[in-house]
Amino acid sequence: NAGVMQNPRHLVRRRGQEARLRCSPMKGHSHVYWYRQLPEEGLKFMVYLQKENIIDESGMPKERFSAEFPKEGPSILRIQQVVRGDSAAYFCASSGDRASYNEQFFGPGTRLTVL
Amino acid sequence: RKEVEQDPGPFNVPEGATVAFNCTYSNSASQSFFWYRQDCRKEPKLLMSVYSSGNEDGRFTAQLNRASQYISLLIRDSKLSDSATYLCVVKNYGQNFVFGPGTRLSVLP
């Protein structure tokens, strides 16, 4: 039973390019969360999705960032026109039925470097 | 005020010491509570869930005080491998998980 999978593990982009980060939740999990962690800082919540729906995007920057979790396939975090300040580790986590006592499980993260 | 606050740290303790971390949360309707640990440049990993009656897992003991909205983690007989950042996490019903800023622990030989 594979855990949460993220790819790529490392991504290098030049300023102005697009970055696409993918996350496959654990089997049976329908809730996906994206977090950003800047060097030497804590985790910052970005967005919470459930299949085909954005539940909470209060942590997403208003511009250039978008997320989706289609009926089929992984969740995608998309960053358009990247800037140096977007360089960070982006972690995805998944959980099961939110009505029950279910913890989150994290993927290994994608480390984005913007040159 | 942040929704989840933790001891600022860092904590530097010798091997074998007992260390306690404190965490407070502001939402009285919070339902689930967890401690995660995060090693440098790695993903957070669940250390233990925290139950109302308190729970223990080997050298680790977690306590929850709902009246005071306070959570604690006690580590006994610290090992070098316990060095990490410890994250207090609160889940509110129907909402997402809220992470505290973390407390860094360094266990010294």
Side-chain angles (χ1 to χ4, degrees), chain A residues 16-45:
Chain A
Q17 292 184 318
E18 178 179 288
R20 279 183 172 247
L21 288 61
R22 285 175 289 278
C23 169
S24 296
M26 282 183 73
K27 187 177 180 181
H29 284 186
S30 60
H31 303 270
V32 166
Y33 309 79
W34 285 94
Y35 296 85
R36 177 165 63 176
Q37 188 169 37
L38 295 169
E40 303 302 320
E41 294 191 12
L43 281 170
K44 300 296 182 189
F45 167 76

Side-chain angles (χ1 to χ4, degrees), chain B residues 29-99:
Chain B
S30 296
Q31 290 208 321
S32 307
F33 309 91
F34 310 91
W35 283 101
Y36 279 72
R37 70 170 277 169
Q38 185 176 24
D39 294 283
C40 187
R41 298 183 64 79
K42 300 280 191 178
E43 73 272 24
K45 291 187 177 177
L46 178 69
L47 180 64
M48 57 197 303
S49 302
V50 187
Y51 303 116
S52 296
S53 55
N55 47 303
E56 187 174 308
D57 183 2
R59 298 181 293 108
F60 299 84
T61 301
Q63 297 281 350
L64 168 63
N65 184 324
R66 286 187 183 270
S68 302
Q69 295 178 205
Y70 167 85
I71 308 160
S72 66
L73 176 68
L74 185 76
I75 305 176
R76 290 181 299 278
D77 189 23
S78 302
K79 311 291 184 192
L80 294 176
S81 57
D82 294 333
S83 297
T85 296
Y86 289 82
L87 305 168
C88 176
V89 184
V90 170
K91 180 175 178 287
N92 304 319
Y93 182 79
Q95 299 179 28
N96 66 47
F97 294 72
V98 182
F99 280 73

Side-chain angles (χ1 to χ4, degrees), chain A residues 7 32 53 56 61 63 93 95 97 113:
Chain A
N7 67 82
V32 166
N53 294 307
D56 181 350
E63 297 177 346
S95 69
D97 177 3
T113 301

Side-chain angles (χ1 to χ4, degrees), chain A:
Chain A
N1 181 17
V4 179
M5 299 176 70
Q6 289 187 249
N7 67 82
R9 294 289 303 275
H10 299 275
L11 182 61
V12 179
R13 286 287 178 264
R14 296 190 180 280
R15 280 180 297 171
Q17 292 184 318
E18 178 179 288
R20 279 183 172 247
L21 288 61
R22 285 175 289 278
C23 169
S24 296
M26 282 183 73
K27 187 177 180 181
H29 284 186
S30 60
H31 303 270
V32 166
Y33 309 79
W34 285 94
Y35 296 85
R36 177 165 63 176
Q37 188 169 37
L38 295 169
E40 303 302 320
E41 294 191 12
L43 281 170
K44 300 296 182 189
F45 167 76
M46 298 182 75
V47 62
Y48 162 32
L49 309 102
Q50 189 180 7
K51 279 293 185 182
E52 300 185 273
N53 294 307
I54 296 175
I55 307 300
D56 181 350
E57 56 181 348
S58 57
M60 286 279 269
K62 294 290 185 282
E63 297 177 346
R64 303 188 297 108
F65 285 72
S66 62
E68 63 177 8
F69 189 15
K71 188 175 181 181
E72 301 292 336
S75 176
I76 306 286
L77 178 67
R78 183 183 176 204
I79 311 172
Q80 294 178 290
Q81 299 174 347
V82 296
V83 301
R84 288 221 173 104
D86 297 332
S87 295
Y90 291 83
F91 290 101
C92 166
S94 72
S95 69
D97 177 3
R98 69 182 187 186
S100 59
Y101 202 101
N102 269 308
E103 61 271 21
Q104 288 184 329
F105 294 90
F106 280 81
T110 293
R111 278 167 179 75
L112 172 65
T113 301
V114 179
L115 302 177

